[in-house]
Amino acid sequence: MSHKKILLNFERNGTSHTLDSYLKRGGYQTLAEKIPALSPTEVMEEVKKSGIRGRGGAGFPAGIKWSFLPKDSDKPVYLICNGDEGEPGTFKDRVIMEENPHMLIEGMILACYAINAKHAYIYIRGEYGFALERVRAAVKEAYDAGYLGKPLKGTNYVPEITVHKGAGAYVVGDETGLMNSIEGKKGQTRNKPPFPAIEGLYKCPTIINNVETLASVPWIIANGGEAYHKIGTEKSSGTKLLSVSGHVRKPGVYEVELGYSFMDFLNNEAGGIIGGRKLKAVIPGGSSTPVLLPEDIKDMTIDYESIAAAGSSLGSGAVIVIAEGTCMVKLLEVLTHFYHHESCGQCTPCREGTGWLHQVVKRIEEGKGKMEDLDLLTSITKHIAFHTVCPLGDAACGPVDSFVEKFREEFEEHIKQGGCPYGGKFVRFQEKV
Amino acid sequence: MDFTDAEKKEIAYLRTRYPDPRSLTLPLMWMIQKREGFVSNEAVDLIAAELEIPTIWVEEVRSWYSMFTEKKEGKFVLEVCNNISCAMLGSQDVIDHICEVLKIKVGETTPDGMFTLKTVECLGSCGTGPMMQVGDRYYELLDENKVEQILEDLRNGKEHEQKPQEWPEYK
Amino acid sequence: MKEVTLTVDGKKITVPAGTLLIDACEQNGIYIPRFCYHKHLFPSGNCRMCLVTIEKNPKPQPSCMTPVADGMVVHTNTPEVAEIRKAVLEFILINHPLDCPICDKAGECMLQDQYMEFSGDKSRFNETKVAKEKLYHFGEKIVYDAERCILCSRCVRITREVSKTNKLGILERGDRSYVALAHGDTLDDDPYAYCVTDNCPVGALTPTYFRFKERVWYLHKTPSVCAGCSRGCNIWIETKDNVIYRVRPRENDAVNKSWMCDFGREYYIYPPKNRAAGVKINHRAVDYGKFVSEVASLLKEHTKETAFVLSAYATNEELTLAKQLTEHLGIKGIFHKKDRVWQESTGEIREDDILIKEDKTPNMAGVKNAFPDAKDINDMVISDFKYAVVWGPGAPLDKVSGLELIVISAMVDQVWDKAKYNLAGRISAEKHGSFTNFEGITQDFRRAIKGENNYDELTFFVDLLKELGVKPIGRTVQEIQNAK
């Protein structure tokens, strides 16, 4: 199936990131052609009509999020683009930032206009040196060309964007953590409510959207919200970037229309499993989303509803494919180590619980587990999930619960054998074509 | 310790981009780390004084974010991702190989001060794993041979040109 | 003020709008356990001990961060909430060293108490605890044990919101986190540093002066009022065998909330060395009865030539009798003085906008209430007098040195040394009474320790009045207060 290309509408020839190249493929036309005729409310309405849902992981409709801004506030409004792509398995925003940064900037300008933002910040994780370089260069180009820092054609509105570099913290991907980080604090999250639309950055109303979400806005404004809504399914409209990694023949970032068959995606775009091996499991939306078995995904389509029905979540669209011959306990040890490392330290259940989970899983992997450890694990997660300040606690529990549930026998085998049946390490199956 | 004139100009500009000077904490820390390779206590004092905020606030930031370092490390810090996708594709083998070649353990620095080896969490390069970061450059699709070449190049001061990720095709 | 009505555990309660749920419940007899929440600090919502369920809310909510709302239906006594509390306690305890037998906080530890009340379960944690620094000196006054710390951030918020020194922060992240000072910094110059120890819910922050000195359950707590300045912070004086072991603020929303300054505290912890002792005439010990009768006849004979210098350390009840005495005798030369004045050399803070007042005496307002016509001692015309009763320390030597002196004071100073008549008095910890602070709030305090080789001023005035054939207004604090 050929998919509409909204975000990856360029040839990967090494110049797509430049203003020239972007203009050649119709970039920034919405500013000249649409904005003079559209009021901010109308821009917001188009985004609402598109039905586009937040591409960062939570899947909340972006237009509705924008409409939560208070109507009668005298405080300035801020826009933040969340480019703190940190969910393991996810590398799709990186493609936009490195290879199509102007589309993101155009989307931010439109969003800024819609919400009357005083200033917009692009927060890019500190590790993304190259993406930072490219986005900074693109922002400079946009200032030089007058797309930023000057009134939009036909309006008095002046968009301003500043690029802010992160410094290594998964939890900053949470919107309130990210705001604290821009404010120069530790990126620990805040209790909600108040929600950012009411009290966000600098205690002012703030809209925060993912890179992919904002980069989709120019197409929505150019073609209309309804046109966007026609792509994909009724409740999951539009296209989605999937970053697929693990044991597939063709890892990478693909843009697919939502509603696409997962198995088709796996076998066609992703090229199937490497080495002709059998599929063992799939993590469909980044490391925090529950793992699925081959039978769970047989009829699954790539959209929010279908993946939820299968027992997981579309999340950030990070598909991690796991082939037969991979130790799931070892894999869970890697993940629990990650959440333990990234727990911000603020609230009790996550701070103490993530380390506990990791120690127990590690012990099982090393052959020192006991049968009652399996129930202990799910009992610990029960007390972390939904009891923490932010979703990191919930995120840490998704893999633990689903791994123990779906691969219980494998855990039991480790315990009975007193060791890892796979020798305590991952086997490398891949071999370059 | 002080900021250079160029840095001071940059700080003056940054001040116009944020309503609260405290927001400059991360940018200024990056500025220092880029220049010195690490953020010393003296640098913390400098930033706190520049922004007129309590020193402990700056120290909290230095200590909480994983990318800021307090002590001088090797000239090249090899940060190998050991998270899910890279791990499945053999990052441990790469790490073990680096240990063998450089005769250091994870977390250590070679006696000549050239390399420090660290393992880090997901760097968002899962489609091109195993991978590592050195400074602000990504080195992707690593294997034992490639990593030896990279170490060699780094030692010889050969620049690594960063390109957008190119995804492989496997058998 | 607007009020809202909500339902907690089936009970309808009405509280002012804006009240936090945790306070609303407590005001209505439902105590919600907590570690990080402190009513005099901004809530941080991080310990998760106060989670409750609110109908129509998918997730349990921290009651310390949730303002009440009309029609809210809250559950605090369900099995779900009980399980959350047990779980939070279990989490807190997994990395806690459980060194209660050697911990100074044992017996008054919120973790111990809440574990006993809300859990009692055996831990299921069989892994390795995170090892941290157990002896981190936050300067000379306070020691921090990072292993005991439950990272509630109260201490950090105290330095941020109360003392405003912003000295403390939390470094590292996850279960490696610990409270710290900036490099090279100490809490020694934070004038409210000891407050972090009082309000630490566990034994992570302990004052060096009290470490390993006494188990808290052996201490006798007496409510008192700090005599360190005219704020009149409410305090507990904690004693055993007539020795002050510890002093802590006593909560009072109108005066000092939950705080007091370190100077006030050290005033009690490190008793002054220059305490006066005994009763003397011409520097020789005499019988107390003889002293009373000699002073009585002297005053009677030389009423007009006697200056009466009041003490701002005096209690209101003592002042009542002093007033009765001077009125009876017709003494006109009445003066007030500052018994203690701020001196830069001691490192003490002169005044701040938190608690510390420039007037370093506790009862100048009481003196002025009782003797509105008293003049400042600095305005005294020396040639008018031949004798002076000097009450309390701190009288300017040049004003009184030429006079024949009767000094009643708890402290030895140059004036004491120059006196013909000396009677050692008591400090406020050694007596009952009341002070009136600079805002006009009168506060009672009780005797915490017995005076040794000194005399209660109140009794002295009673005896003096009796000697002069006058019935005192009252013979005890209680009688005098009732007589008013």
Side-chain angles (χ1 to χ4, degrees), chain C residues 7 53 149 158 200 221 266 291 306 318 347 354 366 386 404:
Chain C
T7 310
T53 53
C149 177
I158 288 171
C200 178
K221 287 167 74 176
E266 285 173 352
F291 182 88
T306 299
E318 290 161 0
I354 306 164
K386 282 188 182 153
E404 191 169 308

Side-chain angles (χ1 to χ4, degrees), chain C residues 210 214-221 238-239 245-246:
Chain C
F210 185 65
E214 194 48 82
R215 301 311 300 194
V216 296
W217 52 86
Y218 292 130
L219 296 179
H220 181 74
K221 287 167 74 176
E238 304 184 354
T239 57
Y245 276 86
R246 191 167 67 163

Side-chain angles (χ1 to χ4, degrees), chain A residues 51-336:
Chain A
I52 185 171
R53 293 166 63 165
R55 303 297 196 219
F60 193 82
I64 296 181
K65 196 179 199 177
W66 293 6
S67 66
F68 287 155
L69 284 172
K71 305 276 177 287
D72 48 0
S73 168
D74 51 1
K75 288 181 184 169
V77 174
Y78 292 100
L79 175 77
I80 301 174
C81 169
N82 186 344
D84 189 62
E85 182 168 62
E87 175 82 3
T90 318
F91 48 102
K92 47 110 187 162
D93 293 339
R94 190 180 149 197
V95 175
I96 298 176
M97 292 189 283
E98 287 180 354
E99 301 178 53
N100 202 4
H102 281 288
M103 185 177 269
L104 171 62
I105 293 167
E106 185 180 351
M108 287 181 70
I109 294 172
L110 293 166
C112 281
Y113 175 67
I115 64 172
N116 190 27
K118 181 180 176 229
H119 202 108
Y121 297 94
I122 309 182
Y123 188 102
I124 302 176
R125 65 179 301 191
E127 293 91 341
Y128 274 2
F130 191 50
L132 273 153
E133 219 170 85
R134 286 238 163 134
V135 174
R136 279 186 172 143
V139 167
K140 189 174 180 303
E141 277 183 315
Y143 267 105
D144 292 345
Y147 298 115
L148 291 169
K150 296 224 170 82
L152 292 180
K153 192 178 165 193
T155 77
N156 294 323
Y157 179 73
V158 181
E160 297 279 355
I161 294 181
T162 297
V163 179
H164 194 91
K165 181 182 182 181
Y170 169 67
V171 73
V172 166
D174 176 89
E175 44 191 34
T176 56
L178 196 150
M179 288 168 196
N180 278 339
S181 188
I182 294 182
E183 289 177 12
K185 303 168 184 164
K186 297 189 279 184
Q188 290 178 325
T189 54
R190 306 175 186 166
N191 274 285
K192 289 190 272 194
F195 289 93
I198 308 298
E199 196 182 302
L201 188 63
Y202 307 115
K203 288 193 179 305
C204 294
T206 303
I207 291 298
I208 174 163
N209 287 122
N210 176 258
V211 168
E212 190 185 341
T213 317
L214 288 167
S216 302
V217 175
W219 195 96
I220 294 170
I221 299 306
N223 299 279
E226 264 165 43
Y228 191 86
H229 194 248
K230 281 194 190 117
I231 307 167
T233 71
E234 174 60 28
K235 285 184 176 162
S236 299
S237 60
T239 63
K240 176 84 190 81
L241 294 184
L242 297 181
S243 55
V244 57
S245 65
H247 296 140
V248 288
R249 289 187 56 239
K250 296 190 325 191
V253 176
Y254 299 93
E255 183 169 12
V256 301
E257 292 175 22
L258 286 164
Y260 183 42
S261 152
F262 189 85
M263 286 313 290
D264 284 353
F265 170 74
L266 190 57
N267 292 322
N268 300 334
E269 276 79 1
I273 314 296
I274 47 176
R277 303 187 78 90
K278 275 173 70 183
L279 177 67
K280 183 171 187 178
V282 164
I283 301 175
S287 69
S288 313
T289 60
V291 66
L292 296 174
L293 296 173
E295 58 259 40
D296 300 329
I297 59 173
K298 260 197 327 240
D299 304 316
M300 187 171 87
T301 52
I302 299 166
D303 54 76
Y304 295 95
E305 290 68 33
S306 177
I307 300 182
S312 191
S313 161
L314 176 58
S316 60
V319 180
I320 302 163
V321 179
I322 302 151
E324 279 296 352
T326 308
C327 177
M328 297 306 281
V329 182
K330 181 77 187 166
L331 212 52
L332 185 61
E333 189 206 318
V334 168
L335 289 180
T336 51

Side-chain angles (χ1 to χ4, degrees), chain B residues 22 41-42 44-45 54-57 59-66, chain C residues 156 160 165-174 178 180-183:
Chain B
R22 190 178 175 182
N41 285 342
E42 214 188 327
V44 164
D45 292 342
T55 315
I56 188 69
W57 292 4
E59 265 191 60
E60 280 186 330
V61 164
R62 176 179 68 180
S63 138
W64 191 83
Y65 291 92
S66 62
Chain C
V156 176
R160 223 162 261 189
T165 57
N166 285 297
K167 280 176 173 279
L168 294 177
I170 295 176
L171 297 188
E172 261 295 343
R173 70 185 187 201
Y178 61 96
L181 288 152
H183 62 94

